[in-house]
Amino acid sequence: MGEIYALLSAVSFGIAGAAVAKGASKAKGDNGVFLSIMLTLALSSVIWLACGIDLTTVDDTRSFLIGIGFFISAGVLATVFGRLTNFRSIALSGAIRSSLFRRLIPVFSTALAFVLLQERYSVMVLVGMIVILCSIAVAMWVRVPQISAKASAISTGNLQLGLLLAAVSAFCYALAYIARKLALEDLPDAALGALVGALTGVVWYFIAACISVRYRMAITSVLKSSGIWQWMAALGMSFGQILLFFALLSAPVAVVAIIGSLEMFVGAYFAAFLFKSEPVPGRAMILATIVAAIGVAMVAMG
């Protein structure tokens, strides 16, 4: 069941990414990021109140506090460190280069899960994960020609620092996967995890607003600056985040991270055929998609 949740999460994130790209030209504020955190907080609260753990029945206070601590740590790693280094990377090296290095998230997640969580996988699952990573490599290769045209516009120093920060961002997001999994082992409540993570993000925004005009504007104009594409992106991000926690309840970190990286395919097809904001995928991208689907099937059957 965890693999299904991971796939649904990837679909949600893919739709969100396509909506972000579609609305980028008219975007204001933070392009719906704070809105997505608020929606995640609202939706996860409803789910938790409906079917989450009743806190009055919790007997093991120590496990509860450890779980909450790991949920908060995951929120800080993803919302603060991961996002800040990602934004800085985009500013220094460009959006496409940064996005390519963010594909290191499943690689880092697999390595960290192997070392820190002692995760082990069947041959079928291993082969499936390798197939998915190969399909992602092909998809990234398809996008490489878009980079060369602007290569001369970025200095070597900025490019190197930007790529380093992109790798750091990917590592932070991978660590967030590990922290969520550890939290769920002590406190197996996915909705509560998403709620605490979103609350951590909200707290960070208000802290950052004390020193940053950009964050203040994001908070004060969250509704005024959000159009239909920002709302669609925020909803996609919110559902994707919540589904991610449910996926981690029953599936290994590496499997969830690798299946989650398929959002790039979903985003490409939605952007091309529904939103009309990007070219129709060529034969190489279609082939990579088919290969990715085979890999997901192998992981699910393994």
Side-chain angles (χ1 to χ4, degrees):
M1 192 65 186
E3 292 82 1
I4 295 175
Y5 281 129
L7 190 57
L8 290 174
S9 175
V11 171
S12 297
F13 280 127
I15 294 172
V20 167
K22 178 68 175 179
S25 61
K26 297 180 180 179
K28 299 177 182 178
D30 64 354
N31 203 9
V33 175
F34 184 65
L35 177 64
S36 73
I37 295 174
M38 295 299 294
L39 286 177
T40 303
L41 181 61
L43 291 171
S44 59
S45 296
V46 171
I47 296 172
W48 177 62
L49 289 172
C51 55
I53 292 176
D54 184 353
L55 297 184
T56 61
T57 64
V58 174
D59 296 323
D60 192 343
T61 305
R62 182 176 179 275
S63 292
F64 174 79
L65 292 176
I66 290 174
I68 292 295
F70 276 123
F71 281 141
I72 293 173
S73 299
V76 171
L77 284 165
T79 305
V80 182
F81 295 118
R83 184 167 291 157
L84 284 176
T85 50
N86 182 46
F87 284 166
R88 187 58 181 158
S89 170
I90 291 172
L92 290 171
S93 61
I96 296 178
R97 291 183 184 84
S98 179
S99 68
L100 293 181
F101 267 69
R102 284 196 71 234
R103 302 305 163 191
L104 290 172
I105 293 174
V107 177
F108 287 143
S109 297
T110 301
L112 288 170
F114 184 87
V115 174
L116 299 178
L117 302 179
Q118 284 76 53
E119 286 190 355
R120 300 296 183 265
Y121 320 102
S122 67
V123 174
M124 176 76 82
V125 171
L126 278 174
V127 173
M129 291 193 296
I130 292 171
V131 168
I132 293 172
L133 289 175
C134 289
S135 72
I136 293 169
V138 172
M140 291 193 304
W141 174 76
V142 171
R143 300 193 69 182
V144 166
Q146 301 176 35
I147 298 176
S148 59
K150 297 182 180 179
S152 59
I154 301 175
S155 69
T156 302
N158 282 350
L159 179 60
Q160 291 176 343
L161 180 57
L163 296 181
L164 175 61
L165 288 174
V168 171
S169 175
F171 189 75
C172 289
Y173 280 112
L175 276 176
Y177 272 101
I178 302 298
R180 288 165 184 152
K181 187 68 173 179
L182 289 170
L184 290 168
E185 289 179 357
D186 283 290
L187 187 56
D189 190 328
L192 181 60
L195 191 161
V196 172
L199 189 58
T200 303
V202 171
V203 170
W204 161 248
Y205 258 78
F206 276 97
I207 292 174
C210 296
I211 56 175
S212 170
V213 175
R214 182 168 66 88
Y215 280 92
R216 281 200 297 274
M217 288 293 294
I219 294 172
T220 57
S221 61
V222 61
L223 297 178
K224 184 172 63 176
S225 63
S226 300
I228 184 172
W229 299 115
Q230 283 72 44
W231 275 96
M232 184 176 292
L235 281 170
M237 290 180 187
S238 299
F239 281 114
Q241 189 72 6
I242 294 169
L243 288 165
L244 185 63
F245 277 91
F246 279 95
L248 286 169
L249 264 179
S250 56
V253 167
V255 171
V256 174
I258 290 174
I259 292 178
S261 63
L262 296 177
E263 53 89 11
M264 69 182 299
F265 294 104
V266 178
Y269 285 101
F270 268 88
F273 294 106
L274 186 61
F275 300 152
K276 310 293 184 183
S277 58
E278 291 186 13
V280 174
R283 281 180 288 186
M285 180 64 87
I286 294 173
L287 175 62
T289 307
I290 294 172
V291 171
I294 294 172
V296 171
M298 294 177 70
V299 169
M301 290 187 295

